[in-house]
Each structure stands twice: as structure tokens, then as C-alpha cells.
Amino acid sequence: MRKLNRGKYILGLLGFFSALGTQAQFTLDGEVRPRFEYRHGYKSVADSAQDNAAFVNQRTRLNFGYKTEGYNFKITLQDVRVWGSQPQLISTTAQQNNNGAYLGIHEAWGEALISDHFSLKFGRQEIALDDQRIFGSVGWAQQARSHDAAIIKFKKKKLKANFGVAYNQDKASLKGTEAFQGSYKAFQYLWLHNDFNENFGASILVLNNGKEQLDIDSTVFLDGGTATEYEYYKDNYSQTIGTKLNYKKDKLKIGAAFYTQMGLAGDRNNARTDYNGDFDKEISAMNYSVDVSYQITEKLAATVGYEMMTGNSQTDTSASYNRINHAFTPFYGTNHKFNGLMDYFYVGNHGESVGLQDIYFKLKYKAEKFWIGTDVHLFSAANDVLDGFKIQQDIDAAIAAGTAVSDVDQLQAMNSSFGTEIDLTFGFNLSKGVAFKGGYSMMLATETLAYLKGTTDYQGQGYTDATSSWGWAMIVIKPNFTEKKDKN
């Protein structure tokens, strides 16, 4: 039996898809994106005793799209893996390395085009709103972010409105409603955006976010019997309300945002117990930012900005203060885009901590064949960081001197400065359709940041002697298999 020529088969299949694409209905495109990273102090202050990390992580995607008069449809197949995380020859399932490999469906949605102004988009999809501070696609992360949700969309002239809902469950079951797998149980959001003129636009976002809270209920027997208790989960909802404003005219761009959070916090891991008098933590937090960009020349642009996110003070021990969570949570945003590329803040870390203040300055030079950028961030805490090392020193000194330990101020705060991060980035085309991007970053951390991140010496003092750095290089190819080729 003649063997099938796989190369000719694949070329024929792509040719068939390309023929479909000429009807402006079917699209087929892809992406291959390997990225090398060197890490020594990425996300946390480096310790001289730790080994450097280096690896190559790759994202591979195949996007199927279809548009017709009544609906739109898309499926994105995605494979994410670290080079070498699986053997070259796999004979059994047991040989697969699931640490560092992920194959699945990133997007799978349909959109019913109800009228000229209304549509309903449902299924697994990316949600990216405004500058992606609260909802973003997290495109930098190889796995990116997508939601199982339904969104009613409205668009008329310069007005856009989205109403989205999501409801997560671990599985189809006969009893109970538990959601361990996702970062939320449910949400509902309303987003409105209007371009008032060619220079000014504004958005409003209202998010009702539900998370499960672990509770422990107990019954104490007054006749001396043994107390019984049982665990259960309940749904706590918080509300985020805010606005994003944008102004642009000629070479000037100005952006500003303000968000406030309220409601009840939810935590699956830390229980509230009725017999200890615990209460569900209320939320009172805010985030605001402003940035100004100016196109200095045709090729050179500069940006200055400031952002503040509230946090929890470590020196205020009053019961009334600690019943409230003061830390702002950016939830599902593309956090790598903000607050430095080394991901020290709000990228799987720094949640419910002391908050953040970020003063930044950015320069970007973009020529015809390459671009280069420099970002500088001055970070500091928005709330007090408890100086545990200094307090312990004072206690030891008091004991040695025979004075009362109670006289020691045990609520001392550290200097609020976290340090300075410098990010250098660049990019150019290796060949037509093949982009190369890279960068190098350094965190000039203070003792405060090192102490907060847990990088301390043998005495418990924040350790900053090692250089915290991170470098990366990435190649990106995004072929469009159904794109019409220019014969000229």
C-alpha cells in the first residue's frame, strides 16, 4: 500500500482552507512564540546563595475563525511547554511531564449577531477592557487568560456597552456548587465607553465579583459533651466601580483612571470561625493613576506617570482596622503591563499586602526597522511595612540592658521605598514576518523590599547585596494561511 505523502497532504489542506478564506468567511492563522528567559531575582529579590534559572518556554497556537451573516465563530488551540519538559520519545502516559506542558483550548466561542447594534458572545473567550487594568488578555504570559462567559454587546456610533456574566463550577454534579479550579465563583460586569469627540473618550466599569469563603460552624454542648464543627463554603461578593479617561490631541496623550472596591472578601483557604468571633472581611480599597505621553519627534516618545494602589498597614493592629481589607485587587488585568516588567507586584504576588506607589518614566524610539525602549520605575509602599528586624534588635538590647521589653516600640515602620527598576527592551524583524524581541531588567531593591519578599540574611535583615536581574529574548511568527497573496 502506497504511503501517504504527509507534506503534500498538509499543503493541500492549507490550500483548501485558503480557498475558503477568499470568500471572506473562513480564516486560519497561527502563532509560534518561543521565549528564552534568564532569571536571578525575577519576582523576588535575589539571594547570593540561590542558583540562576534559565529556560525556553514556547507558545504555539492555531486559530480557526468563521464569519457569516448571522454569527461569528472562533476556536484557538494552544500548546504551552518548556523545551525539554517532555521526553523526545513517549511510549506511555506515565512518561509525560505535566509540569511545564499545557495543551488545550484557549478560546472557543460563538457570537450571535442579533441586530445591527446587538450581539451575544458566549463560550471561552478573552475579555480585554480599556487599558486592561481590571480585565485583560494577559498576552505576555504564554498561556494567556480566557474566561468561560457570556457577553451582551451593544454598539451604536461612538457608544459601546458590554454586560458580561460568568458562573464557574468544577464539574457537573448532583449536589453542591463548588468552584475550586478558577480564581472566582461568578461575576457580572457592566462596561460603558463613549467617544465624546475625536479627542476625548471615557469608560465606566462596574464589576460584581464572587469568591467562595471557607467557614467553620461549631456547636458546643453545655452538658460537657464534645464540640462538633463542620466546614462549608459560601459566596462573598465584592464590587469594583471606576472610570478610565483618555484625551489626545496632536502629539499629546493624557490618561487617568480611578477605581474603588467595596463589599466582602472571599478566601477558600483561610476560614472564618463563628466561635472565635471572626467576621467576613469587608473591603475598602482604591486605585488611581495618571499618565502623560508626548511625541517629541516622529520617532521618539516620552511618558511620565503615577499609580497608587492601597494596601494593608502592618503597624496598625487595632481590631477595627484589621476587620477591613484595604488592599486593592486588579483581578483579571494584564498586570505585567504595569508596575515594571520584572513582575514584583500583582503578578501572582503582592495581593493583600501593603499596596504600591509607582512613579515611572518611559522613553521609546521607533525607527523603520527597529525599536528600543527604556522604562524607569520608582516604587514605594502605600502603607506601613513593619520593621521586624529593628524591633527584634531593640528587644535584644533591652534584655541585655535589663530594661523593660514593654518599653520597646514594637510597631516601628521601615522606610517606604521599595527601590528602582530599570527595564530595557528592543525589537526588530529577523526576516519578513518574523519578529525578534528582547530585554534586560534590573531591580535596585531596598532593604524594605527584600524584607517584605522574605530575602533576609542570617540575622533576619533584608538582604540586598546580590544583583536582581532578568533577561529575555523571543521570536514571534504569526502566519495567516488564508490571506490573499499579492501576485505583483
Side-chain angles (χ1 to χ4, degrees), residues 4-19:
L4 177 65
N5 188 318
R6 293 185 178 180
K8 289 184 178 180
Y9 175 77
I10 293 174
L11 289 175
L13 186 63
L14 292 178
F16 171 71
F17 287 146
S18 179

Side-chain angles (χ1 to χ4, degrees), residues 194-403:
N194 189 64
D195 291 317
F196 293 92
N197 52 49
E198 62 180 9
N199 304 121
F200 179 68
S203 299
I204 295 176
L205 174 65
V206 179
L207 168 64
N208 188 44
N209 193 76
K211 301 184 71 174
E212 289 184 327
Q213 172 64 52
L214 173 61
D215 272 28
I216 298 178
D217 193 9
S218 65
T219 301
V220 180
F221 295 98
L222 299 179
D223 61 356
T226 303
T228 60
E229 62 181 35
Y230 66 93
E231 296 181 353
Y232 67 98
Y233 296 95
K234 65 179 182 179
D235 300 339
N236 283 356
Y237 279 85
S238 66
Q239 294 75 46
T240 301
I241 303 173
T243 183
K244 181 72 173 73
L245 309 174
N246 291 294
Y247 175 83
K248 59 181 180 179
K249 187 174 183 180
D250 300 328
K251 299 180 179 180
L252 178 67
K253 293 182 181 179
I254 301 175
F258 174 79
Y259 297 96
T260 182
Q261 288 179 341
M262 63 196 77
L264 298 178
D267 191 334
R268 287 196 60 91
N269 299 314
N270 296 315
R272 304 288 174 217
T273 56
D274 61 334
Y275 53 82
N276 283 336
D278 288 347
F279 298 91
D280 287 330
K281 271 200 172 184
E282 296 183 2
I283 299 173
S284 179
M286 67 177 64
N287 162 239
Y288 53 83
S289 63
V290 61
D291 60 85
V292 179
S293 299
Y294 189 77
Q295 194 71 35
I296 301 172
T297 68
E298 184 180 350
K299 298 179 180 179
L300 180 64
T303 301
V304 293
Y306 170 78
E307 181 175 31
M308 194 281 291
M309 280 189 276
T310 58
N312 293 307
S313 171
Q314 295 183 350
T315 62
D316 192 335
T317 60
S318 64
S320 59
Y321 182 86
N322 285 285
R323 283 198 187 103
I324 297 175
N325 182 4
H326 303 270
F328 186 87
T329 303
F331 285 120
Y332 318 114
T334 304
N335 297 327
H336 176 80
K337 178 183 175 182
F338 306 87
N339 312 132
L341 300 181
M342 292 182 73
D343 293 344
Y344 270 66
F345 309 103
Y346 303 104
V347 183
N349 55 34
H350 205 68
E352 299 192 11
S353 188
V354 294
L356 182 69
Q357 296 185 81
D358 180 10
I359 301 171
Y360 54 89
F361 175 72
K362 301 180 180 182
L363 278 176
K364 187 171 185 178
Y365 181 84
K366 188 175 183 180
E368 182 179 354
K369 294 185 179 180
F370 73 95
W371 60 267
I372 186 170
T374 303
D375 300 352
V376 179
H377 294 262
L378 304 177
F379 296 121
S380 61
N383 297 87
D384 287 347
V385 180
L386 187 69
D387 194 343
F389 172 72
K390 180 64 167 56
I391 294 169
Q392 188 59 51
Q393 278 192 319
D394 291 348
I395 291 174
D396 293 342
I399 294 173
T403 58

Side-chain angles (χ1 to χ4, degrees), residues 22 39 60 70 77 80 85 122 127 204 222 262 276 297 300 313 340 442 445:
T22 60
R39 295 178 175 181
T60 307
L77 303 179
V80 176
S85 62
F122 50 92
I127 302 177
I204 295 176
L222 299 179
M262 63 196 77
N276 283 336
T297 68
L300 180 64
S313 171
M442 291 183 62

Side-chain angles (χ1 to χ4, degrees), residues 101-173:
Y102 167 73
L103 174 63
I105 296 179
H106 177 62
E107 290 190 281
W109 54 262
E111 183 177 17
L113 306 178
I114 300 171
S115 69
D116 292 340
H117 304 301
F118 281 98
S119 67
L120 174 61
K121 187 177 180 181
F122 50 92
R124 191 160 189 85
Q125 58 190 286
E126 293 182 347
I127 302 177
L129 302 176
D130 296 316
D131 61 353
Q132 303 194 40
R133 195 23 151 170
I134 307 299
F135 276 101
S137 61
V138 197
W140 166 260
Q142 297 287 46
Q143 71 277 12
R145 185 195 296 276
S146 54
H147 302 261
D148 298 314
I151 305 173
I152 298 175
K153 295 186 174 185
F154 173 84
K155 183 178 181 180
K156 187 175 183 181
K157 295 182 179 179
K158 298 180 179 180
L159 176 64
K160 298 178 183 177
N162 289 357
F163 177 69
V165 297
Y167 184 70
N168 287 346
Q169 293 294 291
D170 293 337
K171 60 183 179 180
S173 61

